Amino acid sequence: MKRLMASGIALSALFLGVPAGSAANQEPLAKLAVARGRAPRQMEKLGRGLVAIHQGDGKVYLGWRLLGTDPDNVAFNVYRVTGSGAALKLNQQVLTRSTSFTDLHASLEQPSAYFVRPVLNGREQTASAPFKLPAQAPARPYLSIPLKTPAGYAPNDASVGDLDGDGEYEIVLHQAGRGRDNAQNGMTDPPILEAYKLDGTFLWRIHLGKNIREGAHYTQFMVYDLDGDGKAEVACKTADGTVDGKGKVIGDAQANYVNPATGRILDGPEFLTIFNGATGAELVTANYIPPRGKVSDWGDNYGNRVDRFLACIAYLDGRRPSLVMCRGYYTRAVLAAWNWRAGKLSRGWTFDSDDGTPGNSAYRGQGNHNLSVGDVDGDGKDEIIYGACAIDHDGKGLYATGLGHGDAMHLSDMDPDRPGLEVFQSHEKPSAIAGSEFRDAKTGRLIWGKPSQGDVGRALAADIDPRHKGYECWVAGGTRGLFNCQGELISSTPPRSCNFAVWWDGDLLRELLNRNTISKWDWENSSETVLLTAEGCSSINGSKATPVLCADILGDWREEVIWRTVDNQELRIYTTTLPTEHRLYTLMHDPQYRLSVAWQNVVYNQPTQPGFYLGEGMKAPPHPNITTRK
């Protein structure tokens, strides 16, 4: 088999941040944003995210962030500090070609630490926070986080945010006990949220209580800095008996609305709570919008469709993040926008497919088991792709395709040769036109579709074949084959995996993430080559086989994968140790990508997607129009 790593030497010149080519590509975009009067988006002030991985034989791999706010000409020096306290510079020339480095002569017989210093115009800048390695550090490609998993529970979805304002991410983890799908009767265990630092420090536990049912569709938790104070909050649906991270009970501690015959919770008040990310303490609680009202108004009389919840973060004003909490998608669909600012929670708009507003009824039944967020119409403000429809930043309907509910959906610049963003989505109902479809994200216009005879349960879009510019698309349960972004069949044998994707190795293509493995697509032989198997780890969410989280939380622009161990007592954060010649700013400073990390835990998890084309033949990504000032 020929080497699967696409040539990176020539392409890497696009991403170095130092030659004229980079500035020539990026500067006009920055000027265009200013010319249109767009204010920068308020985003996280991140540190360098340095990570050091012992590879064995005295080799230590290092990776760190290029920030979206860094000047084009920034370079780096790498240092190692050993027991004597002396700092040894490891690179002979300043590093400009990537934000990774391998120390080939590490001594691990005593504790050591690494740090990097940015270099601007020949002068070193402030050092990064150090990454410390203990003496005799084990050779393994992951960081270990021991958990305090309650008996009978298992780690489920996670999200990340800078909870304490130190410039690095913490993990908010959903610990799930006995759960039930909405379609099933039966008792469940109360959901639990926990927070951990990356060094394993346990921060807090929020016990959502018996009046919140456990299952994929009930608790969508958002972790984001909503008020711009430099520290992320945590927001989710709560109820009487929820206990915050300080032990305070929300509402009536004695209330019990669980139906003893069915296990369902179809009575009692419903709340939305914003929690302090550093402590887990309740900051504010309001009534959940939309309320359940009459159960049968949502499509059945036993409580399946009424308890279908989604959530996301969106920059609805183009500058500051808003929280959007949602209910329903099979029939009635309601979205409510909230703002948490200056210690006050206020509600913005509410979109309701069934409130009688002219045109809104077209949005009924168009929602997915997931959603996405991005500026699809180019006005600097975010829209919400709610399955087969889109809601504009002002809470008004942008379009509805009428193709109906689906299980999987992706939003990005998947065809870099056409303007704007595209959506690739699967649908549940049989269709001679579009069981899966590729559409214009701004207008909803169908670009191409593939027929289906039944429910198309999975769909994935990623650039995995360098011979075809743009993303490749494939599905499970519909028209078989691997298609390019023009809808042309390029292989009758698609990847077996149709769950998740990850940027892992050194080229610009994406890899396949399924269960506890990462694989490379061999485009010449239409087969998969395993790059990594996370021994002792397990995926979550049953047949969805997703990780706890996949996101760019450490090191360079490539993504980390968090898996649980099979005994449920540990999270392992796997990070690549493969070299790369490509230098991109951290994907967490691309607004659309960062928002996709926030919604990844929502119902049927989908992989992250940036707001620009990231793949073979890409142009230099535009500088993000962001600010990290508090």
Side-chain angles (χ1 to χ4, degrees), residues 180-309:
R180 295 284 184 179
D181 185 82
N182 290 54
Q184 302 171 350
N185 290 336
M187 296 293 178
T188 72
D189 295 318
I192 290 173
L193 299 178
E194 294 179 337
Y196 295 85
K197 292 185 71 67
L198 296 186
D199 65 4
T201 301
F202 176 79
L203 296 178
W204 48 255
R205 175 178 292 160
I206 295 170
H207 195 289
L208 292 180
K210 57 178 165 288
N211 292 311
I212 297 290
R213 207 167 189 239
E214 177 62 88
H217 302 279
Y218 300 100
T219 297
Q220 322 310 331
F221 59 100
M222 294 291 103
V223 182
Y224 213 84
D225 180 7
L226 295 170
D227 59 1
D229 67 351
K231 301 178 181 180
E233 290 77 38
V234 178
C236 66
K237 183 173 176 285
T238 58
D240 281 334
T242 294
V243 181
D244 76 1
K246 289 292 190 178
K248 176 186 174 183
V249 178
I250 294 172
D252 182 355
Q254 305 304 316
N256 184 352
Y257 301 105
V258 180
N259 186 304
T262 66
R264 296 184 181 275
I265 304 164
L266 300 177
D267 294 299
E270 301 174 290
F271 306 133
L272 168 65
T273 300
I274 311 290
F275 297 94
N276 182 298
T279 67
E282 174 201 17
L283 293 173
V284 66
T285 294
N287 289 328
Y288 189 87
I289 304 295
R292 69 171 67 88
K294 188 178 179 181
V295 170
S296 59
D297 287 346
W298 299 88
D300 59 58
N301 60 9
Y302 66 97
N304 181 358
R305 288 169 168 77
V306 70
D307 277 351
R308 302 282 180 162
F309 298 99

Side-chain angles (χ1 to χ4, degrees), residues 453-504:
Q453 300 300 315
D455 182 358
V456 183
R458 308 283 171 87
L460 194 54
D463 184 21
I464 61 173
D465 187 334
R467 300 172 300 181
H468 302 267
K469 191 175 180 181
Y471 279 26
E472 283 69 52
C473 305
W474 66 104
V475 301
T479 301
R480 182 174 175 79
L482 181 64
F483 301 89
N484 64 17
C485 62
Q486 282 78 44
E488 300 166 338
L489 181 69
I490 60 176
S491 174
S492 59
T493 304
R496 291 169 297 172
S497 169
C498 199
N499 283 335
F500 246 61
V502 56
W503 281 288
W504 184 261

Side-chain angles (χ1 to χ4, degrees), residues 335-398:
L335 297 77
W338 298 83
N339 295 318
W340 170 248
R341 293 166 190 164
K344 294 183 179 180
L345 180 65
S346 61
R347 185 156 59 92
W349 50 257
T350 300
F351 175 90
D352 188 341
S353 66
D354 289 19
D355 67 357
T357 299
N360 276 17
S361 61
Y363 295 76
R364 182 178 171 88
Q366 300 303 302
N368 263 28
H369 290 301
N370 36 65
L371 44 63
S372 191
V373 179
D375 177 15
V376 303
D377 57 10
D379 63 358
K381 303 171 185 179
D382 283 332
E383 284 70 49
I384 300 162
I385 305 300
Y386 203 73
C389 63
I391 308 302
D392 210 343
H393 67 274
D394 57 3
K396 298 178 181 178
L398 185 63

